[in-house]
Every structure is written in C-alpha cells, then in structure tokens.
Amino acid sequence: MQLYNTLSAEERARLIDEAGKERLTLSFYAYAKIEDPKKFRDDLFIAWNALDALGRIYVAHEGINAQMSVPADNFEAFRETLEAYDFMKGIRLNVAVEQDNHSFLKLTIKVRNKIVADGLNDETFDVTNKGVHLRAKEFNSLLEDPNTIVVDFRNHYESEVGHFEGAITPDVENFRESLPIINEQLQDFKEDKNLLMYCTGGIRCEKASAYFKHQGFKNVFQLEGGIIEYTRQIKEEGIESKFIGKNFVFDHRLGERITDDIIAQCHQCGKPCDNHTNCANDACHLLFIQCDECKAAMENCCSTECQETIHLPWEEQVAKRKGLQVGNKVFRKGKSEALKFKKSGDLPDKPLAKAETKDIRQKIKVKKTLIGKAEHYYSKSKIAQFLIENNELAVGDKVLISGPTTGDQEITISQIFVNGVFSDTAKAGDQITFELPFRVRLSDKLYKILDSENA
C-alpha cells in the first residue's frame, strides 16, 4: 500500500501539464484531539493520493494544518474526505487568490509534536478556548475603533511586504518568538482594550487568541480565515481593503498581491519592490527582496561572495559548504548583514510605489508567442532544458522566460543543443538545452519575442 511519494517533482509537473486540468491551491486547519496521529496521517495519504491531491500537511495530537493543490474536478470528493471526520465537518477551505497548477508537486504529510510550534509547555492552556472570529466587514469596523490594538502574528519577512494599517508588526522570525513579546508589550491593556489579531490563514491566530485569553486578556478577537479569507470577502462584497501590499505565501509563488501598494524595498538597492527571491548559491539560499535590475546584475544572489561562489566549479561549491548548517539561515529573510535596505519591526503604512501590473515583475510589454515550457535545470553546469511545443526557435531569436518565481527574464539565444546535438533551429517536439545564468522552474514558460517596447 502506497504511503509515500513515488514520483519526483519533475515527473509530477509533467503529468499535471499533460492532464491539462485546472487545479486549486487551498489551505485549511483544525484544532482537535487526535489520539493516533500516525494512523490519521496514513489514512489521509491513501485517500488524497487517490484524488491526485498534493501539498504540505502537518498533523499532531492537537490537529491538522494543510496547504494543498487539488484538481478542480476532484474538489467535492476531496471535501468528502474531510467530512468523514467529525472535527472537520463544515471546515472552511481557504482558496488562494491566484491559482497555479504547480503550487505543490508532492504530497507530503508529516507527523509533528504540534501543528504550530509555540514553545509553550503549559498543560492548563486550552487551545480550543479561542477568541471571537470576525468577518472582513466586522474586522474593518473594529480596526477603526480607537480602543483597538491590532497585532500581526506573522514573521517579519511576511509583514514587510504587506500588513494591515496601524498593526503592530513584531520583529520575529517565528511564531513562538511573538507570543512572549506581545504579551509583555500589552500587559497594561488586558482589561480595557480590544486585542485584534490576524495571520495568513487563521491558524496562528487561533492559537494566539486562546493563549492571550489564557493570559487574562478580556476582549480578544481574530480575523476569520486570515488574510486569505479576508481578501475573498472584500472582493465579493465590495469592501475597502484595510490590508496594504502583498500577502506572503509559503509555496513557490512567495506572495499574492492584495492591493497595488508596494510598501517594501529591494534589500540591495533600496528601490520600491516586494518580490522575494532565493539566493542562487545553494550554500546560502537566503530568501530576500530583490528587484529585477539587481536580480540581473547579481545573478539572483544576495551578495558578491555568493555571486562569486556560483561561478566556481561544482565540486568546489560542494567542498565550500561541506559541514555547514545552512537550513536555519534560509528563513532569516532580510537579516543578512550583506543587505543594506532590510526592514522589520515598526513598518510604514504609506506605500512607496504602485505596482504597474498584476505581475509587478513585468517591466517590458512584449508581443510574444508561447513556444515551450521548462523541463529541468542542471545546477552544476547551469544548463536549462525546455520542450518546444509550438512554432520554431532559432539562434539569434529573443526569448522571454516567464514564471511566478523566476519573473520575466529576456535573453537572446546564442547557441542551442537540439535533441542532444548542436543546431541552429528547433521545431515543435524538440527538446532543447542552452546555458542560462539563473535557475528555471517547472512552472516557467518559454516565449519567442516578436516585438517589444518599454512599459
């Protein structure tokens, strides 16, 4: 009986593309008392694997936390697998603002001690004794009350690109750091203030609201469904958004635009920008904010040291990082001393710029035609592989490589391998490879540029 993934991300992406069906990116959580998390985990894997559901899911004795990609055709069947459990009957599913068929490429369900690490060891703390849930309109009203204190229970790198007006945005790297900081900061307001809180999808606030009630706060409220559900409601009901900027998400998109306000800066040059990127140096992989110009100049790196490293022979790169523990550095987003314009903690409400398009990476308007898709990136040799699906490609053609994480990258083809041999042209059905200084993803598309003009 299959209880784990058998396909690679590349194989899964290929199957998704071949199926040509729409997928929904969604998230949900539920706090409950689960007696046997391991059995619960295995039962879910069997049910969801049969529906081609993918995602990253954590289960524990205290409940479940899930971010997933589900075929639209199987959505109701997927919901039925949740309804089979009493504690998930009628559960709210937060559907992403922007859909991407490649948001998740594996089904990973892990058993954890807790679904949200809180650092608490208080047996008297009841996580189900939560605060009052508020819909978008109610949240906006309470937000305008001068007797309200609003707190962002996300991490500093999330609030930096988007937050609610007037919110306290703790300078923390994880949820467990924020609880004692906010508790100490608000000690004098337990009786007479409305404590209003929010997070991405609601799960952190659910626990935070119960914690602050446990600490003696009288008037505790939370945004129902978090920023994701808030965005859906303001769009459906025509409500003014009190959230400004982007909502950071933890799949490869790294953000959903809520308003066209850009409130963050490129960490390298300081220009208005709110696009997160991972450093191309595998020994660093730091996630930070980088504009298109710096992305091109720095070759997707966070520092000159990392830029020099990626040009070393692969064996030297491996040797340099041998023994280094880099995993916990990845999420120190913007905290690197190499970055000059990092911000966290007390953040501004006023936008620095407006996004010109829905995809603010699109700096060039182009007349283009879709000719293929990315299949692989060979990090050692910096070779990108694409499949030509339509039309032809020739040496000298200008192409645009575009994707949610890669952004829009324009290059001129100077040399290509076609089906393993040098050639001047490629046609539909050919597999091509060529050198590329930046990593491509399976969600990236290859366009031939017919004409271009500055935006």
Side-chain angles (χ1 to χ4, degrees), residues 169-206:
T169 52
D171 185 12
V172 297
E173 293 178 21
N174 53 59
F175 175 70
R176 61 178 172 268
E177 289 181 13
S178 64
L179 294 178
I181 290 174
I182 296 301
N183 188 32
E184 180 178 355
Q185 191 171 343
L186 303 182
Q187 275 299 308
D188 296 334
F189 305 109
K190 289 185 176 182
E191 301 284 342
D192 59 345
K193 294 288 186 181
N194 300 316
L195 178 54
L196 185 59
M197 57 186 67
Y198 68 92
C199 57
T200 305
I203 187 170
R204 285 176 277 188
C205 286
E206 194 93 347

Side-chain angles (χ1 to χ4, degrees), residues 123-296:
E123 296 296 331
T124 66
F125 170 47
D126 180 7
V127 72
T128 63
N129 183 25
K130 56 197 177 188
V132 178
H133 283 219
L134 299 178
R135 290 178 58 81
K137 190 173 183 179
E138 299 168 319
F139 187 89
N140 279 3
S141 295
L142 197 57
L143 195 63
E144 295 172 355
D145 187 333
N147 205 42
T148 293
I149 297 174
V150 59
V151 180
D152 189 326
F153 274 97
R154 300 173 304 153
N155 306 326
H156 73 86
Y157 51 85
E158 298 172 81
S159 58
E160 184 176 7
V161 295
H163 55 259
F164 278 97
E165 298 172 5
I168 295 174
T169 52
D171 185 12
V172 297
E173 293 178 21
N174 53 59
F175 175 70
R176 61 178 172 268
E177 289 181 13
S178 64
L179 294 178
I181 290 174
I182 296 301
N183 188 32
E184 180 178 355
Q185 191 171 343
L186 303 182
Q187 275 299 308
D188 296 334
F189 305 109
K190 289 185 176 182
E191 301 284 342
D192 59 345
K193 294 288 186 181
N194 300 316
L195 178 54
L196 185 59
M197 57 186 67
Y198 68 92
C199 57
T200 305
I203 187 170
R204 285 176 277 188
C205 286
E206 194 93 347
K207 180 169 281 190
S209 68
Y211 171 78
F212 282 98
K213 288 185 69 176
H214 182 66
Q215 292 296 316
F217 287 80
K218 302 300 182 185
N219 306 307
V220 181
F221 304 87
Q222 68 182 90
L223 178 59
E224 181 183 35
I227 300 164
I228 296 173
E229 176 64 12
Y230 176 88
T231 304
R232 187 191 68 79
Q233 290 178 22
I234 63 172
K235 289 185 175 181
E236 285 189 357
E237 301 173 25
I239 301 170
E240 178 189 3
S241 177
K242 296 293 185 180
F243 184 96
I244 54 175
K246 262 186 177 179
N247 179 29
F248 184 94
V249 294
F250 286 89
D251 57 53
H252 76 85
R253 296 170 299 155
L254 301 178
E256 293 181 327
R257 181 155 298 289
I258 309 303
T259 70
D260 62 1
D261 302 299
I262 299 175
I263 63 171
Q265 295 174 280
C266 171
H267 285 166
Q268 292 175 316
C269 72
K271 72 179 293 184
C273 178
D274 55 9
N275 293 317
H276 279 102
T277 189
N278 280 108
C279 179
N281 177 13
D282 287 336
C284 174
H285 211 54
L286 179 77
L287 193 50
F288 64 105
I289 297 175
Q290 187 178 49
C291 69
D292 288 336
E293 288 78 6
C294 289
K295 188 180 184 72

Side-chain angles (χ1 to χ4, degrees), residues 84-139:
Y85 299 91
D86 287 341
F87 73 90
M88 288 196 286
K89 288 187 182 296
I91 192 170
R92 181 188 58 254
L93 301 179
N94 290 327
V95 179
V97 177
E98 302 170 357
Q99 296 303 325
D100 186 328
N101 286 349
H102 293 142
S103 57
F104 293 99
L105 295 174
K106 291 186 178 182
L107 177 59
T108 304
I109 310 178
K110 295 184 178 181
V111 176
R112 292 283 182 86
N113 291 328
K114 295 184 179 182
I115 56 174
V116 175
D118 53 27
L120 302 176
N121 294 300
D122 187 347
E123 296 296 331
T124 66
F125 170 47
D126 180 7
V127 72
T128 63
N129 183 25
K130 56 197 177 188
V132 178
H133 283 219
L134 299 178
R135 290 178 58 81
K137 190 173 183 179
E138 299 168 319
F139 187 89

